[in-house]
Amino acid sequence: MTLTSGATRFARIRARLETLPVAEGPQAWAYEFLLFGFKQGWACLFGGLMLVLLLATHLFYPADAALHRYDFLTLAALAIQGAMLVFRLESWREAKVIAAFHVIGTVMELFKTQAGSWIYPEASLLHIGAVPLFSGFMYAAVGSYIARIWRIFDFSFTHYPPVWATVLLAVAIYINFFAHHWLPDVRLALFAAAILLFGRSWAVFTPWRIPRRMPLLLGFFLVALFIWLAENIGTFANAWTYPDQRDGWHMVSLAKLGSWYLLMIISFVLVSLIHGIKRSPAQIR
């Protein structure tokens, strides 16, 4: 098997699925829905593998292992990332997105753990301060998903706001994640700004033969919801712990959805700067 055979095999499978003859009507709708799910799952490859690792190591990793569990997770994340590049399951452009997310996420982690927003309860050697290095890959998983889905579904947009305005909003959101510990939390104003900027924007994507569209704000919410669900898996796996979970695990507060929604906007804007914004005609089903 060559280094690119895995990617080539997937490309052939995907091409076959794209061209499969399916009768019009309910059968075609069902097939398009399944193909949409398949592509979504493929876009989530990095994040999905990380969640599997978190759960598997929580349940089965030996407590007396010479290598700390957190360090194993860091090395495993590096191996997954390297394999995706070697087998061309991810482009170098997408790797740049992931690297940016890793840096931005680690900086936030250093501050938030110092502020007591959450803790990493297990020991590790591969860490910066109180932050094990695998944590940056959790943010990178979000970046990987957005970058990959952008390409897989050939995103374009209607009524997209000026790029400079979206960058200003993303910077303001990022600053507020830090500043609200000393200054008033302005997230309500940030939500309002997001509605003003993206309220008329639609994402156009092609799951199969016909381009479809969705309000961009709704897309942000759906992805934020799935991240919140993944966060519940992560805290259940003791990858990190919130202060109110120290006496026992329970589901993460729904209020965290707001934080993830704002983080989604940062994530989306970062990816847009690398992929660029392709404008689309408004008449899309």
Side-chain angles (χ1 to χ4, degrees):
M1 178 183 288
T2 66
L3 291 178
T4 59
S5 61
T8 302
R9 184 176 294 111
F10 172 75
R12 289 173 179 169
I13 293 172
R14 185 171 153 192
R16 173 62 177 160
L17 292 174
E18 293 276 5
T19 58
L20 195 68
V22 179
E24 297 293 334
Q27 186 175 347
W29 302 337
Y31 183 77
E32 181 176 358
F33 179 77
L34 292 174
L35 187 58
F36 173 82
F38 171 76
K39 289 183 174 181
Q40 286 281 351
W42 187 246
C44 290
L45 180 62
F46 185 83
L49 290 174
M50 286 300 298
L51 284 178
V52 169
L53 280 171
L54 292 180
L55 276 175
T57 55
H58 174 62
L59 295 173
F60 305 114
Y61 199 76
D64 57 351
L67 182 67
H68 293 301
R69 175 192 175 217
Y70 283 176
D71 295 333
F72 171 81
L73 288 170
T74 298
L75 297 176
L78 284 169
I80 293 170
Q81 182 62 78
M84 290 180 70
L85 286 170
V86 167
F87 288 98
R88 298 184 183 178
L89 303 178
E90 191 168 72
S91 70
W92 281 103
R93 175 181 289 185
E94 290 162 351
K96 293 177 184 178
V97 175
I98 290 172
F101 273 81
H102 201 293
V103 172
I104 291 171
T106 300
V107 171
M108 186 183 296
E109 288 283 326
L110 287 168
F111 178 84
K112 289 292 189 177
T113 52
Q114 183 67 28
S117 298
W118 56 79
I119 62 170
Y120 290 92
E122 299 182 23
S124 66
L125 293 176
L126 302 175
H127 62 87
I128 301 175
V131 180
L133 294 184
F134 85 86
S135 67
F137 285 101
M138 305 310 296
Y139 294 88
V142 177
S144 174
Y145 166 76
I146 298 174
R148 285 164 61 78
I149 204 168
W150 200 299
R151 169 173 52 83
I152 290 170
F153 284 94
D154 190 25
F155 273 7
S156 60
F157 304 91
T158 64
H159 303 297
Y160 194 84
V163 172
W164 64 265
T166 67
V167 171
L168 284 180
L169 176 60
V171 170
I173 291 170
Y174 191 66
I175 291 174
N176 188 65
F177 277 129
F178 299 90
H180 80 83
H181 288 276
W182 305 291
L183 301 173
D185 191 344
V186 297
R187 70 178 60 199
L188 291 180
L190 295 171
F191 284 129
I195 292 171
L196 287 174
L197 276 181
F198 295 105
R200 296 176 63 240
S201 301
W202 291 68
V204 179
F205 58 98
T206 307
W208 190 23
R209 298 169 178 168
I210 302 172
R212 306 294 184 183
R213 66 173 187 158
M214 173 186 293
L216 194 50
L217 289 173
L218 175 60
F220 290 161
F221 173 76
L222 292 175
V223 178
L225 178 62
F226 276 96
I227 296 174
W228 177 79
L229 293 171
E231 184 180 37
N232 278 284
I233 294 174
T235 55
F236 173 80
N238 207 41
W240 65 93
T241 302
Y242 289 105
D244 62 353
Q245 294 176 323
R246 288 176 179 172
D247 296 328
W249 181 84
H250 56 79
M251 292 192 73
V252 177
S253 168
L254 278 172
K256 287 286 291 180
L257 261 177
S259 298
W260 284 117
Y261 193 91
L262 292 175
L263 182 69
M264 263 305 304
I265 295 175
I266 297 176
S267 306
F268 186 87
V269 171
L270 276 174
V271 175
S272 75
L273 296 177
I274 294 178
H275 276 299
I277 297 297
K278 184 167 68 173
R279 307 285 174 170
S280 177
Q283 299 302 318
I284 300 292
R285 282 185 280 179

